[in-house]
Amino acid sequence: MDIYRIKGGKKLKGEVSISGAKNAALPIIVASLLAEGETVLKNVPDLMDIKTIIKVIEYLGAKCDFDTAKNTLKIRVNSLRNAEVPYDLVKTMRASVYVMGPLLARCGEADVSLPGGCAIGERPIDIHLSGFEAMGATIDIEHGYIKARAERLAGAQFPMRQVSVGATANLMMGAVLAKGTTILENCAMEPDIVDLGNFMVKMGAKIKGLGTERITIEGVKKLSPASHNIMPDRIEAGTYLLAGAITRGDVAITKAAPGDIEALTAALGDIGFSIDKTKDTVRIRPGKVLAGTIVRTLPHPGFPTDLQAPMMALMTTLPGISVIMETIFENRFTHVGELRRMGADVTLEGNVAVVRGVRRLTSATVMMSDLRAGAALVLAALAAENGTEIRRIYHSDRGYEKLSEKLSALGADIIREEGGKP
Ligand code: UD1
């Protein structure tokens, strides 16, 4: 298993170009199943999660050609078959349940393994399932598999009991080919959902209210394949701004969408960093005085839970006290133990973390427990004294394209080594 060796203390400097958004690309790749013919997707990030979702749709009958050098994915769909999507694929990536929408819409049946819990909490999919039930599907759970059936999904009004990115995407993909009009309420307003919606509109779907809490979809009989450019990854963008911040460097992210990360740039501004934006770039530099801050994770446009762990890494280096309230996932503090091993002073009380800034983080051997917790450790290592060894870096391969290359180009001392200890 590969490891990272990072020698901290270098101020990062320069420009880094942001890749396509993983969380937009995943549902968009799945949505290509809704039409027969060839879909061409550009700016698709070369990530493990993308390779997993490609395997999933190939399993269902799609033919894929992923040119990773050009970040272009061609997907050819003829007939689609409801083959049970196996546990081994679903357990590595929960977004595999996205295939329910297109399978139900096109085959009238979907057999998908129940994802189960993961490192950051229980993560149920009850909202996905009750939404499909509201649209006329019958759902049975047998031997760990969801068996959903519906001759043709029917439009329905469905208020989600809680904002869910995954359920919003899944139900939208079912509704575009349903009979009649679907009104989804309490929808996720994440930019990734808007990108998915825009892609399906290009395919011929009739969708109104994207980016709002209420999305109305008038079902159509057939969709046609389309071409699409995946939006920039706002979580990757935020992570590089935080890398600039934690090293007190001067970093500009390019090919980004500054409007999608305003909760983060506002928090960085409050801390005392100077932030300069253009249409598609953001530059961060340290201000004269930095101070701790308070962050509460919320659905978009609030502060994203996916940047909570990287933000905590920065907070461990700020003067004074900072506070994080995690309101989206019940167990998203697995990075805290590892940050403490690097000298961080963090106290946990339920879903609240109190972070007291320390003069300097120190090096240690640490282990990634999930994708974003992994990003937090990389950031902490960039600021720590001496060399840090980070294990289980396959977690960051799921969501950060060319992480070590991009950080090296900014002046970081980071090496990826093959064959470290697990
Ligand atoms: C997506 C993102 C993930 C991000 C999360 C929250 C993808 C592939 N992943 O995950 O990076 O951290 O949004 O922004 O886009 N919930 C239920 N029942 C459901 C569905 C969700 O109780 O049926 C709960 C979850 O346990 C969680 C909250 O709702 O507490 C939000 O989850 P959700 O928005 O669905 O997250 P994902 O789509 O899994």
Side-chain angles (χ1 to χ4, degrees):
M1 275 200 260
D2 291 5
I3 59 169
Y4 282 135
R5 284 191 197 285
I6 299 176
K7 279 201 190 118
K10 296 232 160 89
K11 289 184 196 297
L12 299 194
K13 196 169 170 16
E15 289 188 352
V16 55
S17 153
I18 299 307
S19 300
K22 167 177 87 73
N23 288 353
L26 290 171
I28 287 173
I29 290 169
V30 173
S32 69
L33 298 177
L34 290 162
E36 273 177 30
E38 188 175 83
T39 295
V40 181
L41 301 176
K42 295 196 171 144
N43 205 29
V44 177
D46 179 14
L47 300 170
M48 273 320 290
D49 273 11
I50 298 296
K51 289 182 174 147
T52 305
I53 204 78
I54 288 174
K55 269 193 211 150
V56 171
I57 67 164
E58 282 182 333
Y59 200 82
L60 303 174
K63 298 231 166 5
C64 299
D65 175 10
F66 189 14
D67 183 339
T68 51
K70 292 191 177 140
N71 293 101
T72 299
L73 173 62
K74 289 186 185 151
I75 304 169
R76 175 150 275 288
V77 181
N78 296 321
S79 59
L80 198 61
R81 61 190 178 110
N82 171 33
E84 276 186 0
V85 179
Y87 179 60
D88 283 344
L89 285 177
V90 177
K91 79 164 194 272
T92 53
M93 194 188 55
R94 298 171 43 84
S96 310
V97 299
Y98 280 153
V99 299
M100 277 188 80
L103 277 179
L104 269 178
R106 282 202 50 201
C107 305
E109 51 179 38
D111 296 349
V112 183
S113 168
L114 257 182
C118 70
I120 62 173
E122 198 191 338
R123 298 187 83 173
I125 57 160
D126 59 297
I127 306 170
H128 303 233
L129 301 184
S130 50
F132 286 123
E133 276 177 336
M135 293 164 78
T138 57
I139 310 268
D140 289 304
I141 311 279
E142 285 172 20
H143 313 294
Y145 277 77
I146 306 159
K147 294 200 178 287
R149 300 286 179 270
E151 213 159 278
R152 184 171 175 201
L153 289 172
Q157 180 153 10
F158 182 67
M160 284 177 250
R161 67 166 174 82
Q162 161 172 4
V163 177
S164 162
V165 174
T168 305
N170 216 343
L171 297 175
M172 281 167 65
M173 289 191 270
V176 286
L177 286 176
K179 188 171 171 14
T181 303
T182 299
I183 300 173
L184 300 173
E185 285 164 354
N186 201 21
C187 292
M189 300 192 281
E190 267 63 5
D192 315 80
I193 293 288
V194 178
D195 209 30
L196 166 67
N198 287 337
F199 171 64
M200 292 197 293
V201 167
K202 284 186 192 165
M203 297 173 84
K206 294 192 174 159
I207 309 177
K208 290 210 178 100
L210 284 171
T212 74
E213 286 165 25
R214 187 180 156 101
I215 297 177
T216 306
I217 299 174
E218 204 185 306
V220 296
K221 283 219 171 97
K222 208 169 175 230
L223 294 171
S224 321
S227 296
H228 192 70
N229 222 344
I230 306 291
M231 61 171 257
D233 194 308
R234 65 205 165 91
I235 307 302
E236 190 202 20
T239 304
Y240 284 106
L241 287 179
L242 287 163
I246 202 167
T247 61
R248 310 296 190 259
D250 179 352
V251 169
I253 54 167
T254 62
K255 291 199 200 159
D260 291 345
I261 45 171
E262 274 173 5
L264 172 70
T265 47
L268 290 169
D270 285 346
I271 292 168
F273 288 96
S274 125
I275 304 283
D276 296 298
K277 298 179 193 174
T278 66
K279 193 168 70 53
D280 59 359
T281 68
V282 183
R283 179 178 179 191
I284 184 165
R285 281 169 291 176
K288 285 209 176 71
V289 182
L290 301 180
T293 192
I294 299 178
V295 160
R296 181 187 168 92
T297 63
L298 285 171
H300 193 77
F303 192 92
T305 173
D306 286 348
L307 286 175
Q308 180 258 109
M311 184 65 167
M312 187 185 290
L314 170 65
M315 286 170 163
T316 66
T317 69
L318 296 175
I321 292 182
S322 297
V323 177
I324 290 184
M325 272 167 274
E326 171 58 61
T327 76
I328 309 286
F329 291 109
E330 75 262 31
N331 184 28
R332 205 170 200 179
F333 284 131
T334 53
H335 43 288
V336 169
E338 299 299 282
L339 288 174
R340 282 193 191 126
R341 299 188 63 244
M342 299 179 71
D345 182 349
V346 184
T347 314
L348 285 180
E349 181 72 52
N351 70 336
V352 176
V354 177
V355 186
R356 288 177 187 78
V358 292
R359 209 184 50 80
R360 197 75 204 263
L361 292 170
T362 53
S363 60
T365 299
V366 289
M367 209 164 68
M368 294 187 181
S369 54
D370 72 51
L371 168 58
R372 308 303 173 186
L377 298 181
V378 170
L379 295 191
L382 290 172
E385 273 173 353
N386 305 323
T388 297
E389 177 180 324
I390 306 183
R391 297 184 183 170
R392 301 202 178 170
I393 63 171
Y394 53 84
H395 286 294
S396 56
D397 292 341
R398 289 188 46 205
Y400 289 95
E401 189 176 40
K402 300 191 175 76
L403 180 64
S404 52
E405 288 93 325
K406 287 188 182 188
L407 285 171
S408 297
L410 291 171
D413 188 340
I414 175 169
I415 296 172
R416 185 179 180 122
E417 247 177 49
E418 275 177 26
K421 289 196 185 123

